[in-house]
Amino acid sequence: EAGVTQFPSHSVIEKGQTVTLRCDPISGHDNLYWYRRVMGKEIKFLLHFVKESKQDESGMPNNRFLAERTGGTYSTLKVQPAELEDSGVYFCASSQPPLAGSHEQFFGPGTRLTVL
Amino acid sequence: AQSVAQPEDQVNVAEGNPLTVKCTYSVSGNPYLFWYVQYPNRGLQFLLKYITGDNLVKGSYGFEAEFNKSQTSFHLKKPSALVSDSALYFCAVRAPLKAAGNKLTFGGGTRVLVKP
């Protein structure tokens, strides 16, 4: 079974540019999450999709961040325009529906974003 | 609001000695607790979880953790550490209530260094 995949693995952009991160969850996982770890601090929740619907976007820092999950499969996270403080590692995770009895989230390798 | 504390930034242990990584949490209701490990240049890997039942849970790679409700702790343990256990360890909590959502709240991480 393929795990969660993320693309790109690294991205270096200049302040003011736009970057789009992609996440492909494990097949059959309705739940998809975005997290980020900035400057070696705690991993912070950004948002949660159930299929194509945003279930919880309480962690999104501001309106420069836009997440989509068209068709309920892969998801994208766009940062526009990027600022220096957006640098960090962006993780995507997925999990099965709660009725499946599994509560753990499976994480991708992350995208390291550097804004210069 | 839920929170997790990992009081030690780094734990050093000799190979073959017991390893303990501390974690305390704060959450409304009975917690769902998780440990993840991040090896260099890799994503987060799920180690183990406590949802309900026995307070001592066993996970991957010989790790175990003990849930202590009165002390609100969920310390990670391994009886005999290996050099290959050197990595970054994250404790996470999730509230069980549906209204709280599925988001994980992470501690700041503890770096484990096992010396030969």
Side-chain angles (χ1 to χ4, degrees):
Chain A
E1 177 183 271
V4 177
T5 58
Q6 294 186 244
F7 182 83
S9 57
H10 294 83
S11 181
V12 181
I13 61 173
E14 293 188 350
K15 176 182 173 181
Q17 290 186 323
T18 297
V19 63
T20 300
L21 313 181
R22 172 170 171 145
C23 169
D24 286 78
I26 294 172
S27 178
H29 283 193
D30 289 344
N31 295 285
L32 187 149
Y33 313 83
W34 284 97
Y35 294 83
R36 73 172 180 177
R37 188 174 191 225
V38 175
M39 293 292 290
K41 297 183 179 178
E42 294 91 349
I43 300 169
K44 294 282 193 182
F45 167 81
L46 295 177
L47 88 159
H48 169 208
F49 284 99
V50 177
K51 296 184 180 179
E52 67 276 8
S53 299
K54 293 177 183 175
Q55 185 76 10
D56 180 357
E57 50 185 331
S58 62
M60 294 289 265
N62 52 62
N63 59 9
R64 295 186 293 104
F65 289 75
L66 176 63
E68 295 180 322
R69 193 183 182 193
T70 306
T73 54
Y74 71 91
S75 174
T76 58
L77 179 65
K78 180 189 289 187
V79 185
Q80 180 183 26
E83 298 290 344
L84 299 178
E85 63 264 26
D86 300 332
S87 296
V89 181
Y90 289 76
F91 292 104
C92 175
S94 69
S95 68
Q96 293 180 325
L99 291 178
S102 174
H103 299 278
E104 61 266 34
Q105 297 176 17
F106 296 90
F107 282 75
T111 293
R112 182 174 295 277
L113 174 64
T114 302
V115 183
L116 303 176
Chain B
Q2 52 201 54
S3 64
V4 176
Q6 293 181 242
E8 301 155 317
D9 290 337
Q10 181 160 322
V11 170
N12 297 317
V13 63
E15 187 174 32
N17 282 2
L19 169 64
T20 298
V21 186
K22 296 180 181 177
C23 170
T24 58
Y25 66 89
S26 173
V27 70
S28 297
N30 295 319
Y32 291 1
L33 293 158
F34 305 85
W35 275 101
Y36 287 85
V37 60
Q38 185 179 23
Y39 297 102
N41 301 315
R42 304 285 295 277
L44 295 170
Q45 293 183 29
F46 169 75
L47 272 181
L48 49 79
K49 65 183 176 184
Y50 171 82
I51 304 300
T52 187
D54 289 342
N55 289 344
L56 184 64
V57 294
K58 295 186 182 297
S60 307
Y61 311 120
F63 283 94
E64 59 188 28
E66 186 168 11
F67 170 60
N68 188 317
K69 188 173 183 177
S70 63
Q71 296 185 5
T72 61
S73 67
F74 189 56
H75 301 330
L76 180 70
K77 299 180 181 181
K78 185 171 183 178
S80 179
L82 301 172
V83 172
S84 57
D85 293 328
S86 299
L88 188 56
Y89 292 79
F90 291 95
C91 180
V93 69
R94 203 204 93 181
L97 301 174
K98 184 177 181 181
N102 289 2
K103 64 182 177 185
L104 295 177
T105 297
F106 285 87
T110 298
R111 186 166 300 282
V112 170
L113 180 59
V114 182
K115 297 181 179 179

